[in-house]
C-alpha cells in the first residue's frame, strides 16, 4: 500500500467522508457522490484541503501569530484544549456555560472582554487581542464568529459539512470538507499541531518534525 493510499484509508476510518445530509450546490465540488440521500465526501479533496489549512496555520509560526480555536461541542473539549496548549493559542469552550454566539461581538468587541457570573465561577469571554487566524469547529453552530471574522478580515479555517450555507461557506478562507466526528477532529488537530510545531522547530523555538506528519496519518 502506498503512503497516499494509507492516508486516505486513515481518513475513511475516521468517517470523514460520511456527510450527514444532501450537499448544497456550492459544496458539490467536494462530493464524490450520494447514498441514501446522504453526501459522500471525496477523501482526496478532504486531504488536499487539510494540507492547505495545515500549511497556512504552520506559516503563522513565522510571525508568532495568535490562533484562536472556537469550539462549543463538549465532545471536542479535551482535544481542542490540548491542541491550544501545544500551539500556545487560546481555546474557547462555551457549551458548559452559555451560548455567547447569540449575543454577538465575540471578535468585534475584543478589546472589551465580557464578564459573567455563573453559580460556580466567574467567566470571562472574548479575546483581548485580535487573532491572526480563527479555527472553527461545527460551522453551523458558530456562524456568527465566521461573519465577525470576515468583517475584520481575519482568516478562518473550518471543518465544513455538506449543508453549510453559502453565506458562511464563502467567508471561510480554508474550508476542510469532512464530517466532524471525534476521530476526524482529533486527526485534524493533530496534523495542524505537528505542522505548526515543525515550523517552530525550524525557528529554534521548539523540537518537532513536519516530515513525520504524513507518516503519522498513515499509522
Amino acid at each position: 500500500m502506498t503512503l497516499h493510499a494509507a492516508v486516505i484509508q486513515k481518513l475513511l476510518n475516521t468517517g470523514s467522508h460520511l456527510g450527514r445530509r444532501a450537499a448544497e450546490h456550492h459544496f458539490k465540488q467536494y462530493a464524490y457522490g450520494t447514498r441514501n440521500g446522504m453526501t459522500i465526501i471525496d477523501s482526496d479533496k478532504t486531504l488536499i484541503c487539510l494540507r492547505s489549512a495545515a500549511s497556512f496555520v504552520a506559516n503563522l509560526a513565522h510571525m508568532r501569530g495568535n490562533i484562536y480555536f472556537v469550539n462549543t461541542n463538549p465532545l471536542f473539549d479535551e482535544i481542542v484544549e490540548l491542541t491550544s496548549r501545544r500551539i500556545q493559542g487560546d481555546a474557547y469552550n462555551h457549551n458548559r456555560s452559555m451560548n455567547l454566539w447569540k449575543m454577538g461581538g465575540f471578535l468585534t468587541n475584543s478589546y472589551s472582554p465580557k464578564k459573567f457570573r455563573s453559580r460556580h465561577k466567574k467567566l470571562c469571554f472574548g479575546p483581548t487581542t485580535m487573532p491572526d487566524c480563527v479555527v472553527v469547529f461545527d460551522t453551523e453552530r458558530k456562524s456568527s464568529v465566521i461573519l465577525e471574522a470576515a468583517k475584520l478580515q481575519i482568516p478562518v479555517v473550518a471543518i465544513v459539512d455538506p449543508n453549510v450555507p453559502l453565506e458562511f461557506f464563502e467567508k471561510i478562507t480554508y474550508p476542510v470538507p469532512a464530517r466532524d466526528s471525534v476521530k476526524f477532529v482529533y486527526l485534524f488537530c493533530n496534523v495542524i499541531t505537528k505542522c505548526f510545531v515543525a515550523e517552530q522547530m525550524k525557528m529554534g523555538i521548539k523540537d518537532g518534525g513536519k516530515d513525520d506528519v504524513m507518516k503519522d496519518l498513515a499509522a
Side-chain angles (χ1 to χ4, degrees), residues 137-151:
F137 304 86
D138 188 4
T139 54
E140 187 174 354
R141 297 176 61 190
K142 266 81 68 182
S143 56
S144 62
V145 77
I146 294 174
L147 296 178
E148 289 186 42
K151 288 180 181 179

Side-chain angles (χ1 to χ4, degrees), residues 56 66 68-70 101 104-110 127 130-136 139 142-158 167-168 170-174:
F56 168 72
N66 293 318
Y68 287 178
F69 294 87
V70 182
W101 311 117
F106 176 70
L107 293 172
T108 52
N109 295 334
S110 61
M130 202 63 68
D132 298 294
C133 172
V134 176
V135 180
V136 180
T139 54
K142 266 81 68 182
S143 56
S144 62
V145 77
I146 294 174
L147 296 178
E148 289 186 42
K151 288 180 181 179
L152 297 171
Q153 297 184 330
I154 299 172
V156 176
V157 174
E167 64 175 314
F168 305 134
E170 63 185 5
K171 292 177 174 59
I172 299 172
T173 318
Y174 293 93

Side-chain angles (χ1 to χ4, degrees), residues 33-71:
T34 59
R35 183 177 181 181
N36 298 327
M38 301 296 179
T39 301
I40 304 300
I41 302 170
D42 191 329
S43 294
D44 280 311
K45 292 181 179 179
T46 296
L47 179 58
I48 291 172
C49 292
L50 179 58
R51 283 172 169 167
S52 296
S55 179
F56 168 72
V57 171
N59 285 334
L60 292 176
H62 293 282
M63 57 183 291
R64 299 178 185 272
N66 293 318
I67 304 172
Y68 287 178
F69 294 87
V70 182
N71 170 50

